[in-house]
Amino acid sequence: RKEVEQDPGPFNVPEGATVAFNCTYSNSASQSFFWYRQDCRKEPKLLMSVYSSGNEDGRFTAQLNRASQYISLLIRDSKLSDSATYLCVVNAGAGSYQLTFGKGTKLSVIP
Amino acid sequence: EPEVTQTPSHQVTQMGQEVILRCVPISNHLYFYWYRQILGQKVEFLVSFYNNEISEKSEIFDDQFSVERPDGSNFTLKIRSTKLEDSAMYFCASGRQGGTEAFFGQGTRLTVV
């Protein structure tokens, strides 16, 4: 069974803090990796794709370690608006169109 | 910014009834998906659709489910005879390429009573 595992949290951090989320995936054939965020009872929204070389988008940095099948997301200078559930998502492998979601890590940024 | 739109936002139906959930994917996308999320659980893949046919489906997508692209813009999910356990949020998504970024609609909350 192809799984994506995440620490469910919750992570409660003060504004301005740096927080890191981790994710492991079991399917070594996965080729595409993403972080989505989901607000309560809303749709998942793409935060960023994750590349082997690592990538950064403003305060957000994502890293991928294919050998360890491990993905991370770092959020610097947390804002109140960052409060959400962060979903680690991988595709199901070569030739597959489906995305496999983790259960998500809940982040609460506290004033 | 283009977005995926879904209707209705909330549907309440009696067990055994048929429901049709509707979606308008982003116009230049070629890959279409349905996912569902039972309250408190993870988002689960149901089906992908490309070139007017199903390309993949999950174990959840049994004979009670069907999808259709009746015209150039709409993409529908039909549940023939709803069960209590079909109660969930159903998300439509679309993407330019298969297995890459997918963009989700706001969801239809289906409640089966």
Side-chain angles (χ1 to χ4, degrees):
Chain A
R1 189 176 176 88
K2 311 289 193 289
E3 297 288 350
V4 176
E5 300 291 338
Q6 295 182 250
D7 182 341
F11 284 50
N12 299 314
V13 303
E15 267 186 293
T18 295
V19 62
F21 304 135
N22 304 315
C23 162
T24 58
Y25 60 96
S26 62
N27 183 3
S28 59
S30 293
Q31 297 184 331
S32 303
F33 310 90
F34 313 95
W35 284 100
Y36 280 74
R37 69 170 276 168
Q38 186 174 31
D39 294 287
C40 189
R41 295 181 178 252
K42 300 286 190 182
E43 77 274 22
K45 289 187 177 176
L46 179 66
L47 183 63
M48 58 198 304
S49 301
V50 188
Y51 305 113
S52 296
S53 53
N55 49 303
E56 187 174 312
D57 183 2
R59 297 181 293 109
F60 299 85
T61 301
Q63 297 277 355
L64 167 65
N65 184 321
R66 282 184 184 267
S68 304
Q69 295 180 201
Y70 171 92
I71 307 165
S72 66
L73 176 69
L74 185 77
I75 305 176
R76 288 181 298 278
D77 188 24
S78 300
K79 311 288 185 197
L80 295 177
S81 57
D82 294 333
S83 297
T85 297
Y86 289 82
L87 308 176
C88 179
V89 182
V90 307
N91 89 314
S96 172
Y97 299 157
Q98 67 174 281
L99 299 177
T100 303
F101 283 73
K103 282 199 74 174
T105 299
K106 186 171 181 179
L107 171 67
S108 293
V109 181
I110 304 161
Chain B
E1 186 176 317
E3 58 181 23
V4 177
T5 57
Q6 290 185 242
T7 53
S9 57
H10 191 188
Q11 173 99 40
V12 181
T13 189
Q14 288 204 321
M15 194 168 54
Q17 294 297 304
E18 174 183 287
V19 294
I20 297 176
L21 311 183
R22 303 181 192 279
C23 168
V24 178
I26 294 172
S27 62
N28 63 348
H29 287 181
L30 301 177
Y31 296 81
F32 313 118
Y33 312 90
W34 284 100
Y35 287 79
R36 80 171 187 189
Q37 186 174 31
I38 295 170
L39 190 63
Q41 298 189 23
K42 64 182 179 181
V43 176
E44 300 175 289
F45 170 79
L46 293 178
V47 66
S48 61
F49 193 87
Y50 169 70
N51 202 24
N52 283 320
E53 60 182 25
I54 290 174
S55 46
E56 266 179 293
K57 57 185 180 179
S58 70
E59 296 167 351
I60 304 167
F61 195 88
D62 62 21
D63 292 344
Q64 293 300 312
F65 290 86
S66 62
V67 290
E68 197 174 45
R69 188 156 161 82
D71 54 43
S73 59
N74 291 287
F75 180 51
T76 62
L77 174 71
K78 182 193 290 186
I79 309 175
R80 248 179 288 282
S81 177
T82 49
K83 304 188 279 286
L84 294 177
E85 54 265 37
D86 293 328
S87 294
M89 182 75 99
Y90 287 80
F91 293 111
C92 174
S94 68
R96 278 183 283 267
Q97 293 180 303
T100 61
E101 298 95 347
F103 297 86
F104 286 74
Q106 81 279 19
T108 293
R109 180 166 299 283
L110 177 65
T111 304
V112 182
V113 296

